[in-house]
Amino acid sequence: MAETCLLPVLHPFKKPTPRLPHILRVPNEIIEVILQAASRVERDNDRQFLGWQYPEHQHTQLKSIALTCRRFYALCMPYLWRDKEFILPREDDHTKNDSSVQLATDILSRQTLYLGQRRHFGSFVRSLCRDLTNGPHYDMNNSRLMAQLVCNLRCLRIDFHPKARADHYGLDFFAQSCPLLTEIYLENCRDTYDDFASLRKCRLTSLTLLCCTIKEQTLLDLISLNKQTLRKVLLQRVLIEKEEHTQRKNMTTASIVPLIPIPHTAYDHLFHAQNLTHLALSDAICYPMLTNIVAGSPRLIKLAIIVKESDPVLSTRCILLIAQLRRLRILSLAFRSVHPLSTDYERLVCGAPSYAWSYFAQHMNQLRLLHVSASQLLLSPDFLTTLFRKSPKLSQVMLHHVTYVTSVALDEWTDQQVLNAYRKELTTTKDTMDAWKQSHEEWQGYFLTHQQAQAKGFRCFEEGDHVCFVKGFEDWCENET
């Protein structure tokens, strides 16, 4: 029987095919998903109220991956340019003839070969942040060119210099050149020259305005046009410009334009059937306005508001309304009287009896963060136990001036029963640490006096906060160096 040769037959004219590393055998679509996950910036979104959540990816990690091979470079390139930030230099900075903005446009206009096509780097940008706070003016031609280069932009943030301008702010350039723009974040932007009117072209999902002014009709138009899409709203120190005074030319200071608070009618229009998921306001609201918020946006996930009610009945109604928002993960609630044209405020007593807060704790099972500020909160011993049992993911709680009371149960939420319960609980108040320590041994480390809170670095408490409760919020500490 002939023997079988088990040796492989080698052909000298054929070179063995090199085997690719396992990762390079994976389809591009899967590798791209891996790159996205590996480089994503980790944010605890359930415990932070952020108006600007970019960049989404860590540039350093992506750059290291892109330098490994051509294939990875091609896959990483869109993410390397997805989120960009440009800062205007100060006047005393030593720079070349080109300014920072000109340099930014030069960078964005550079071209590269991607998937067989020549594209400029600006076409990959999805979120753009411009820090213009170092100077009150900048070249509008560069703004026009930058807007044209980032034609696929989705999210725009511009922090302007606080000094009012004698010309427009250039929002129209981006509204015209970026048809996919859906998120706007603006600081120190004024509407004297109708800049905000250009945003009517956009279909917004998120709107953040800090220290801005806007014409009332323009605000109403933006609300109406984005009724079906707008889900995130953050308005902090936003005032209305009276339109009859804004036709004057050569205005160089903000004092020339009369400013008024946002009227309740505009807020009512905003809150009606809006279906917001994120809402933060610096203007104080009343019970009827909170009613509109809850009715118009029952799926709220994050809520930061100031309530100007101290009456026991209205305070209780506000708490019961908020308890209907069963999807809430972040709640920041302050009882204050706020001056509409300044940052001055006066803290108010939360006049709700402790049973209202116990009801709140029973119905909020999605909370991750809770911050309640008032000059006095009436709480019963079972409030914290119920709150943490019903909200197992709740890791950050800050309560100002918690006052120990003996709870009075209510059969019904009638006005008279609420008043009677509140008055009766006032006769049992205890503003000492001992009262809480005796009933909450497991939470002893979280109860702080004002002095203890100051020693830990918390500067958000006032001298009247005899006893506070703080769990988490380490990033709020201001340690003295």
Side-chain angles (χ1 to χ4, degrees):
M1 184 177 179
E3 294 182 356
T4 304
C5 180
L6 300 178
L7 297 176
V9 179
L10 299 178
H11 299 279
F13 54 87
K14 280 190 177 182
K15 293 184 179 180
T17 304
R19 301 191 65 181
L20 291 174
H22 291 289
I23 186 64
L24 295 181
R25 303 178 202 171
V26 178
N28 285 348
E29 294 79 5
I30 297 178
I31 295 179
E32 190 171 352
V33 172
I34 296 173
L35 293 177
Q36 290 182 35
S39 62
R40 187 171 296 277
V41 175
E42 292 187 7
R43 290 189 178 90
D44 197 349
N45 291 327
D46 286 338
R47 293 170 177 82
Q48 297 180 20
F49 204 119
L50 300 176
W52 185 255
Q53 303 187 43
Y54 303 95
E56 292 183 304
H57 302 278
Q58 299 180 23
H59 188 273
T60 304
Q61 285 193 0
L62 282 171
K63 185 177 179 180
S64 299
I65 297 173
L67 293 174
T68 57
C69 64
R70 292 182 180 179
R71 184 179 176 190
F72 280 6
Y73 174 78
L75 293 174
C76 289
M77 186 188 301
Y79 300 97
L80 285 168
W81 290 90
R82 183 172 291 252
D83 309 299
K84 282 297 163 189
E85 178 179 3
F86 298 107
I87 302 174
L88 184 70
R90 298 189 305 272
E91 293 182 0
D92 57 350
D93 284 343
H94 297 287
T95 59
K96 298 180 180 179
N97 293 331
D98 292 340
S99 70
S100 175
V101 175
Q102 292 173 328
L103 180 61
T105 54
D106 290 343
I107 294 172
L108 294 173
S109 62
R110 293 175 186 169
Q111 292 193 350
T112 185
L113 187 64
Y114 180 72
L115 299 180
Q117 296 182 343
R118 302 292 298 180
R119 293 179 58 175
H120 55 265
F121 287 126
S123 65
F124 296 112
V125 177
R126 298 296 181 268
S127 76
L128 175 65
C129 177
R130 304 185 69 193
D131 185 348
L132 306 177
T133 57
N134 285 330
H137 306 290
Y138 67 102
D139 190 351
M140 299 301 290
N141 290 329
N142 280 310
S143 290
R144 181 185 290 106
L145 176 57
M146 182 178 290
Q148 294 171 353
L149 291 172
V150 293
C151 54
N152 294 314
L153 191 68
R154 268 71 164 176
C155 315
L156 173 65
R157 172 175 179 170
I158 308 181
D159 299 342
F160 293 99
H161 191 275
K163 183 179 179 180
R165 293 189 175 194
D167 198 355
H168 66 92
Y169 285 71
L171 299 185
D172 187 52
F173 300 145
F174 292 92
Q176 287 182 350
S177 301
C178 309
L180 302 177
L181 191 59
T182 59
E183 295 186 28
I184 295 291
Y185 184 118
L186 299 173
E187 185 170 1
N188 295 318
C189 185
R190 305 184 188 278
D191 203 19
T192 309
Y193 297 93
D194 294 321
D195 279 88
F196 282 97
S198 63
L199 299 182
R200 294 189 181 111
K201 305 181 182 73
C202 306
R203 289 300 167 262
L204 301 177
T205 61
S206 177
L207 177 64
T208 298
L209 303 180
L210 307 179
C211 303
C212 294
T213 64
I214 187 172
K215 295 184 176 66
E216 182 177 357
Q217 188 56 51
T218 303
L219 177 61
L220 294 175
D221 291 345
L222 291 179
I223 294 170
S224 298
L225 292 171
N226 297 287
K227 207 61 168 173
Q228 301 301 319
T229 58
L230 191 60
R231 295 296 174 262
K232 301 178 182 180
V233 173
L234 193 158
L235 304 178
Q236 180 174 323
R237 298 183 62 192
V238 177
L239 297 173
I240 296 295
E241 290 190 10
K242 286 192 173 182
E243 297 191 45
E244 61 268 23
H245 293 274
T246 56
Q247 303 302 321
R248 298 162 61 184
K249 302 298 182 182
N250 299 323
M251 290 182 284
T252 58
T253 62
S255 59
I256 295 178
V257 182
L259 304 175
I260 60 173
I262 299 178
H264 287 187
T265 52
Y267 275 129
D268 290 339
H269 187 47
L270 168 62
F271 299 143
H272 176 69
Q274 187 61 60
N275 289 316
L276 297 172
T277 59
H278 298 59
L279 175 63
L281 302 174
S282 63
D283 285 346
I285 65 174
C286 55
Y287 168 69
M289 198 178 298
L290 181 58
T291 303
N292 293 338
I293 293 175
V294 175
S297 301
R299 296 178 178 84
L300 274 168
I301 298 174
K302 300 181 181 182
L303 178 64
I305 54 173
I306 299 173
V307 174
K308 57 182 178 182
E309 306 287 9
S310 59
D311 175 79
V313 173
L314 294 178
S315 297
T316 301
R317 300 296 178 202
C318 289
I319 296 171
L320 298 182
L321 275 174
I322 296 174
Q324 296 179 25
L325 301 172
R326 305 298 169 80
R327 300 189 182 190
L328 268 187
R329 297 183 181 180
I330 292 180
L331 173 62
S332 177
L333 176 62
F335 291 85
R336 294 178 182 174
S337 175
V338 180
H339 191 283
L341 300 179
S342 72
T343 57
D344 296 336
Y345 69 90
E346 179 185 358
R347 288 200 310 171
L348 301 176
V349 169
C350 174
S354 63
Y355 199 70
W357 286 110
S358 297
Y359 178 89
F360 169 88
Q362 284 279 354
H363 293 82
M364 306 303 292
N365 55 13
Q366 298 293 326
L367 280 179
R368 272 71 162 173
L369 181 150
L370 175 64
H371 179 209
V372 182
S373 173
S375 60
Q376 186 181 54
L377 291 173
L378 301 184
L379 299 178
S380 61
D382 67 329
F383 169 75
L384 289 173
T385 304
T386 304
L387 181 67
F388 285 105
R389 186 182 74 250
K390 291 292 184 177
S391 301
K393 296 183 179 180
L394 181 61
S395 62
Q396 299 199 75
V397 178
M398 180 179 289
L399 308 174
H400 295 240
H401 195 173
V402 291
T403 301
Y404 182 100
V405 297
T406 302
S407 181
V408 177
L410 282 77
D411 298 328
E412 297 179 355
W413 296 103
T414 63
D415 293 354
Q416 192 59 50
Q417 284 200 33
V418 170
L419 280 171
N420 292 340
Y422 179 70
R423 292 167 180 166
K424 189 172 182 179
E425 288 185 354
L426 285 179
T427 64
T428 67
T429 58
K430 297 179 181 179
D431 273 336
T432 63
M433 291 281 287
D434 293 338
W436 289 107
K437 288 182 178 180
Q438 292 173 4
S439 61
H440 284 84
E441 294 183 1
E442 69 273 31
W443 308 115
Q444 284 191 19
Y446 303 116
F447 285 103
L448 303 173
T449 64
H450 177 260
Q451 293 77 11
Q452 290 172 334
Q454 289 286 313
K456 283 181 171 287
F458 291 105
R459 301 292 180 259
C460 53
F461 295 106
E462 300 183 11
E463 290 186 8
D465 295 328
H466 300 299
V467 182
C468 313
F469 183 91
V470 182
K471 185 178 187 293
F473 289 94
E474 290 83 2
D475 55 332
W476 284 31
C477 294
E478 299 178 10
N479 296 320
E480 297 182 359
T481 56

